[in-house]
């Protein structure tokens, strides 16, 4: 009977791992519908996204380079999505971002967290503040924020290194798309 119990225990562990894999890989989408498609032409933005698109600070929309080029050729030098004049300095950009953050826009909160993490747009590098903002964005549904939190816990940047927590954030991000 002991041999059977050990055999059963091994089979249960294997089945639990299979169910976890099924849950992890069956819930996500092939591409995130929120961030991977241009809101103007509705075409998927090629990977890597940051090389083929621009994130506008005014409306926090990711616009493909093709739409930006088309707008520029037509003589429109404002945001191609919301028509807001583009800022030419960090203070104006930060004012636009903070206005979006005040409206609880998860993409803007993620953007601001990234700027704190890297110390860009005239902000002092503050990893704890970045993690705080990513947490807020993740609570509001940002998949990118979940990924950034996973990286923070994995590398111990802004928080104490905790691989188990990092895996949880990565899995959550994967399941959401």
């Amino acid at each position: 009977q002991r041999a059977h119990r050990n055999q059963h225990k091994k089979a249960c562990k294997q089945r639990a791992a299979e169910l976890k894999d099924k849950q992890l890989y069956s819930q996500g989408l092939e591409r995130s519908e929120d961030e991977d498609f241009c809101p103007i032409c509705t075409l998927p933005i090629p990977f890597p996204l940051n090389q083929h698109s621009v994130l506008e600070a005014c409306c926090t929309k990711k616009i493909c380079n093709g739409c930006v080029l088309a707008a520029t050729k037509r003589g429109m030098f404002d945001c191609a999505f919301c028509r807001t004049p583009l800022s030419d300095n960090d203070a104006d950009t930060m004012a636009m971002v903070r206005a979006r953050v005040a409206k609880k826009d998860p993409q803007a909160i993620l953007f601001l967290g990234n700027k704190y993490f890297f110390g860009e747009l005239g902000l002092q590098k503050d990893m704890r503040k970045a993690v705080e903002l990513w947490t807020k964005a993740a609570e509001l549904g940002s998949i990118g924020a979940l990924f950034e939190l996973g990286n923070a816990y994995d590398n111990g940047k802004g928080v104490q290194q905790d691989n188990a927590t990092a895996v949880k954030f990565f899995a959550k991000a994967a399941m959401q798309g």
Side-chain angles (χ1 to χ4, degrees):
Q1 204 174 40
R2 280 184 189 214
H4 177 71
R5 186 178 298 149
N6 286 338
Q7 199 175 28
H8 180 70
K9 191 175 184 180
K10 185 178 177 183
C12 281
K13 282 185 179 181
Q14 184 178 358
R15 180 66 181 144
E18 288 171 5
L19 289 172
K20 185 171 183 174
D21 284 348
K22 184 178 178 182
Q23 178 188 20
L24 181 62
Y25 296 116
S26 68
Q27 288 184 356
L29 306 170
E30 286 187 27
R31 295 195 67 162
S32 171
E33 294 175 12
D34 295 339
E35 300 177 18
D36 291 354
F37 291 86
C38 177
I40 297 171
C41 65
T42 67
L43 293 174
I45 299 170
F47 292 120
L49 297 177
N50 62 343
Q51 291 180 8
H52 298 282
S53 65
V54 175
L55 180 71
E56 298 293 359
C58 49
C59 56
T60 62
K61 297 291 183 189
K62 201 173 282 183
I63 301 168
C64 72
N65 289 344
C67 288
V68 171
L69 178 65
T72 305
K73 281 186 174 181
R74 289 189 178 103
M76 190 175 78
F77 300 101
D78 299 334
C79 173
F81 184 76
C82 70
R83 311 291 196 257
T84 302
L86 298 177
S87 65
D88 56 353
N89 60 49
D90 292 347
D92 290 344
T93 302
M94 282 305 299
M96 285 190 257
V97 171
R98 289 191 192 280
R100 299 295 308 166
V101 168
K103 294 178 182 176
K104 297 192 186 306
D105 179 352
Q107 189 69 22
I109 297 169
L110 169 64
F111 180 82
L112 186 58
N114 290 342
K115 297 307 167 193
Y116 270 108
F117 185 80
F118 292 108
E120 298 172 342
L121 291 180
L123 295 172
Q124 196 73 357
K125 196 172 189 176
D126 186 349
M127 296 191 187
R128 289 190 194 280
K129 178 76 172 170
V131 169
E132 180 184 312
L133 287 164
W134 290 334
T135 303
K136 188 175 176 183
E139 289 169 359
L140 293 170
S142 172
I143 298 167
L146 289 169
F147 179 75
E148 294 299 343
L149 284 168
N151 280 333
Y153 279 98
D154 190 36
N155 299 315
K157 303 262 177 149
V159 290
Q160 183 152 355
Q161 187 172 9
D162 184 352
N163 290 336
T165 304
V167 168
K168 286 179 186 175
F169 279 117
F170 287 139
K172 212 173 188 181
M175 282 188 240
Q176 290 184 18

